[in-house]
Amino acid sequence: MKYKPIRKVVSGNYAAAYAAKHARVEVVAAYPITPQTSIIEKIAEFISNGEVENLQYVPVESEHSAMAACIGASAAGARAFTATSAQGLALMHEMLHWASGARLPIVMVDVNRAMAPPWSVWDDQTDSLAQRDTGWMQFYAENNQEVYDGVLMAFKVAETVNLPAMVVESAFILSHTYDIVEMIPQELVDEFLPPRKPLYTLTDFDNPIAVGSLGGPNDYYEFRYKIEKAMDDARKVIKEVGKEFGEMFGRDYRQMIELYRTDDADFVFMGMGSLMGTVKQAVDVLREEGYKVGAAKVRWFRPFPKDELYELAKNVEGIAVLDRNFSFGQEGILFNEAKGVLYNTNAHPIIKNYIVGLGGRDFTVNDVKKIAENMKAIIEKGELDVEVDWYHLKR
Amino acid sequence: MEIPENVKKRLSIPAEEHFYAGHTACQGCGASLGLRYVLKAYGKKTIFAIPACCSTIIAGPWPYSALNANLFHTAFETTGAVIGGIEAALKAKGYKVKGEDGIMVVGWAGDGGTADIGLQALSGFLERGHDAVYIMYDNEAYMNTGIQRSSSTPYGAWTTNTPGGKMHFLEKRNKKKVIDIVIAHDIPYAATASVAYPEDFIRKLKKAQKIPGPSFIQLFAPCPTGWRSPTDKSIELARLAVQTAYFPLFEYENGKYKINMPSTKKEPKPIEEFLKLQGRFKYMTKEDVEILQQWVIHEWEKLKKLAEVFG
Ligand SMILES: Cc1ncc(C[n+]2csc(CCOP(=O)(O)OP(=O)(O)O)c2C)c(N)n1
Ligand code: SF4
């Protein structure tokens, strides 16, 4: 590493707040919800301590307005940031479409929290995954370091392709758990992430523009295509930015699916977010016990890393997809996506869906071991027992 | 068109046009006139936010715009929040906002987008004290979706979801007093205005420009399509609304009320004069008219009292 990182012991939420600060965000509009609250509290503290310049903090009256205010701010050329969770994200839903449709590179941290009812403040990915069709990019962080790095990279990617991006961390497991995070000196962040160059701005009064007006059947279709084109371009940009980040700061993010000990693996566990930390640990244990297993951590869910999944699937006999989320009437969402990608290819490993950890249910190394045993048996037999396994269900 | 200097001097409102011909409003549309006056008052150094409403259509489809100013079309309920965000961004970037030479950030929303679905965002905007102007053009129903009631629709009005009929299923509630809700936020400046009185409207816009903090103007804007009124009667209707004290013009400035029109000395004209030109009131019975008249007088007396005590 060519620089001296600043090591701080911080929660996932504070990592997010520091990243926003280091990204020199200009407008933050946010509304509190557990477990996101300490992100915006920390940002307010930066302001009250005089640690940031030119940061306008808009304490809005709802999440819907938080996103609307970020949209206004971003359209006026500012670098805008917000954070939310679960019900708050659901309330924003309509505005998420406005952000991507207006091609505004807003970055938001979503703290994955289960949706009510019943009320729950614990981890569950359904809130963010339910936003998958809004045109937002989605990055899932495994640990606090990835929350910090993710926010910085998200801004760079978002401002390159002109689409908004969500950095997702899990409730409490990351949001409120303290860990060492290596932060980057401001000058280097500035070098990595220069001031935003907006696609358009509402402040050119000699060449006024109208954004977001009516698009008839003759035009609307092309607007959609352009969003998809930007998403597709984002795959390349993400890899470049991830590589650049690695070269500058020592942590390489060029893989959209991070592969862990998969080279000679018979089968792999695939999932997203903090549960993959547990999985990697379990892989080490299982390897000791003679299992040839690996872990595939999906970092970017949107755009979906199709090619990387295919490359992985070609070389394994089985994939256990661990979904801390569910799409009712169907199956786990990552499972659903993965199957969809592989159908038209010649890579057809046995692929099974394990629904785990919903609403903060504990998911441990032992659980991964049990899943490994089950996967091994299935692969040996050559057929699935069940396709979707509600793993923790009290029967 | 070039306007000679001597003529310009005689004009009581700015000669400059920043609202283009070829916009897509109906004939006699009060809202479109309102937009034209706002642009005359503020000029092109203005950023508009317009939510879903007739004005979305009036401003025109992509890639056109009838406004010679920057315009962000936004979601129905977000006007207050979006102008708050725009203002925050301008400040973060070091622009001068409001005042004589500052950028004007203007929220332009209908009564539905203001009194109903957007009330929360409006409240947030007012309470946080953004330097921007929120203008509610009041055509007393949801026109863009085909004339449904809003909470600003008056008692006795026909709309497509209060159609009258055999069961006399008409609007049964009095018009929501949005301006009173606004004033309750203790903002520096709020006013009512009417497209029938452009000088008064522009004066109020200019005042709102000078006073720091959030300002609110409720503009009475007839809609011949929704009111079932002749297209050449819009100004007359807007004037009658004032003369009958149905929509009195007043200002609220730093705790003080001032009535601009109608005269507090004269008796207001009977409400029938306002009602009879419009098809939307044709299902009203004599008793209905009386109920509405009572409400108008009651509100008018209340306003006079406020002006007397807090004048
Ligand atoms: C969330 C949402 N709900 C409903 C609509 C449909 N909608 C569009 S405009 C409108 C009515 C607008 O009425 P108003 O604000 O009074 O303005 P006007 O059309 O009368 O000018 C409605 C209901 C919408 N765009 N968004
Ligand atoms: S329906 Fe009414 S408000 Fe809408 S454009 Fe026509 S006249 Fe104007």
Side-chain angles (χ1 to χ4, degrees), chain B residues 25-26 29 31 54 58 139 143 223-225:
Chain B
C26 316
C29 171
C54 268
I58 297 171
N139 56 24
M143 298 313 177
C223 164
T225 308

Side-chain angles (χ1 to χ4, degrees), chain A residues 94, chain B residues 52-55 76-77 110-113 117 137 139 141-145:
Chain A
E94 181 199 14
Chain B
C53 59
C54 268
S55 301
F76 195 20
E77 60 282 34
D111 48 296
I117 198 168
Y137 68 93
N139 56 24
Y142 297 163
M143 298 313 177
N144 183 52
T145 36

